[in-house]
Every structure is written in structure tokens, then in C-alpha cells.
Amino acid sequence: MKKIISLILSFVLISSANAFAVSIDDINSVISDTEKYLYDNSQTPTVSSIGGEWLIMGLSRNDGDIPVGYYENYYNNVVNYVKECGGVLHNKKYTEYSRVITALTSIGKDPQNVGGYNLLLPLGDFEKTTWQGINGAIWALIALDCGQYDMPYNADAQIHATREMYVEKIINSQMTVDGHFWAVERVMLMLRQWLCKHFQIIRIIPKCQIV
């Protein structure tokens, strides 16, 4: 399995090297076309992984020519959605909170008061946030760090979370490949998203095991 992973990584590196032969103008043209396509085909963004937060994060980070009203429309839809569900985005999958927090932060909105609800609060519950395993821990840190938010105190939590606890969860995690390299690759990409702000953690991450 390790040999297969090494071969795949080698292929990715070679492919990446060839990709640099493309001009910057070509790359910018593709980005511009993609941005236009996403905008034209998603005129009513709301709380959703598809046509929602990933879309908003991508467009806002690209800093392209998107009307300000587009992001305001998304925010208003989020407020209405949060009110309708009483501030409970999901009973189990707390990455729902992290995803919305990250998207709202990317457009300059405060996730601590969305229709009267603090979307950061659920992340103060360590057990519920990590119910999804390493995914929950990684996305909790991404959400907290994207706006440099303080860890919220969740009075209903049996185990009150800290950043250090989420880091330890990541470090002590094992990821079983079992023939599904894409799953590990996806987790590594999420982890890299958070690590880009925490280079000092990289030297201890190898304690994580892929078996």
C-alpha cells in the first residue's frame, strides 16, 4: 500500500511540474471563466455544501468581479435558514457549523450573531464536534482560526473543547486506507488548509499513522 501511495504522489508531482508550463494568462482565463460559470449557475446561494458555502468561499477568496449584493443575498438566506432551524444546523454533523462559519467570515460577516444565534457555540462541545472523527477536529480549527475567534464556552457540553484538544485529536488519529486512497487524500487536503497557518505543528504531525 505504501508503495502504491508513493507512486501516486510521484505522478502528482510530475504532473504538477508539467502544469507550470501553462502561462499565467491562461490560468487566469480559466479562473475567470470558472468564476463566471459558478456565478451564472448559482444565483440563489444558501446553506448547502453544493451551491452554498464552498461556492461562496471560492468566489470570495478569488476576489473577482462579483456584485456585493450576491454575498448579501447569501447572508440573508443564511439568517433565514438559521432562524427556521432554531440555530441547529445539524444534530450530529458539526462540520455544518464550521463550514458556514468559514463562509460567513470570508465575506466579512460575524458568525457569532446570525439571526440571534452564535454559530461558534457548538464547537465548544468536544465530544459532539469530534463525532465525525478527524474531520470534525480539522474543520473546527479552520473555522475558529479563519476569524481568529476565541474558543466558545458551551455550557451544555460534557467535555469543554480547547484548541489543544482538537490538535491532539488530529495528532493521535489513525486513518485506515483499506484501498481508498482518495479518502486519505481528502483528509490531508483539509489538514493542509489548517496547517498553512500553523507551520510549527508540521514537525509533530508525522505521529499520525496511515495503516
Side-chain angles (χ1 to χ4, degrees):
M1 177 55 66
K2 290 183 178 179
K3 183 177 181 181
I4 294 174
I5 293 176
S6 297
L7 289 172
I8 294 174
L9 291 175
S10 297
F11 175 77
V12 171
L13 289 173
I14 293 171
S15 300
S16 299
N18 291 333
F20 285 109
V22 179
S23 71
I24 295 298
D25 288 340
D26 288 339
I27 294 174
N28 288 334
S29 178
V30 171
I31 291 175
S32 179
D33 289 345
T34 302
E35 178 183 79
K36 184 177 185 305
Y37 174 83
L38 291 172
Y39 172 72
D40 290 343
N41 289 275
S42 304
Q43 286 297 299
T44 312
T46 187
V47 177
S48 174
S49 58
I50 305 298
E53 286 69 53
W54 304 135
L55 170 71
I56 294 298
M57 280 187 271
L59 293 177
S60 62
R61 290 180 68 175
N62 188 48
D63 197 24
D65 189 22
I66 302 296
V68 176
Y70 185 76
Y71 298 123
E72 286 298 325
N73 183 34
Y74 165 72
Y75 178 69
N76 291 332
N77 288 336
V78 171
V79 170
N80 291 333
Y81 181 90
V82 171
K83 286 182 177 180
E84 288 175 4
C85 64
V88 180
L89 301 186
H90 202 283
N91 289 321
K92 289 288 189 179
K93 295 165 58 179
Y94 276 34
T95 51
E96 297 287 308
Y97 294 98
S98 297
R99 193 183 70 227
V100 174
I101 290 167
T102 306
L104 291 178
T105 303
S106 74
I107 59 174
K109 300 298 183 180
D110 185 4
Q112 298 170 100
N113 184 9
V114 181
Y117 294 95
N118 182 358
L119 298 185
L120 288 169
L121 191 59
L123 302 185
D125 189 320
F126 180 77
E127 283 187 309
K128 291 185 177 180
T129 300
T130 57
W131 178 82
Q132 291 173 271
I134 192 173
N135 287 19
I138 292 173
W139 271 104
L141 289 171
I142 290 174
L144 291 165
D145 289 352
C146 73
Q148 298 182 349
Y149 302 114
D150 292 331
M151 176 64 73
Y153 179 81
N154 189 328
D156 295 327
Q158 293 188 4
I159 300 179
H160 301 291
T162 65
R163 277 182 166 81
E164 290 74 18
M165 290 168 67
Y166 286 135
V167 171
E168 284 297 319
K169 176 67 176 179
I170 296 169
I171 293 172
N172 295 327
S173 291
Q174 287 190 337
M175 290 167 288
T176 303
V177 179
D178 193 26
H180 298 286
F181 176 75
W182 66 270
V184 176
E185 182 182 47
R186 181 184 177 194
V187 171
M188 288 295 100
L189 288 172
M190 290 190 295
L191 187 56
R192 179 179 177 274
Q193 179 75 15
W194 175 69
L195 284 176
C196 67
K197 287 189 177 182
H198 301 273
F199 292 108
Q200 70 273 19
I201 300 295
I202 292 177
R203 61 177 176 270
I204 60 175
I205 287 298
K207 290 172 63 178
C208 293
Q209 300 180 51
I210 300 178
V211 295

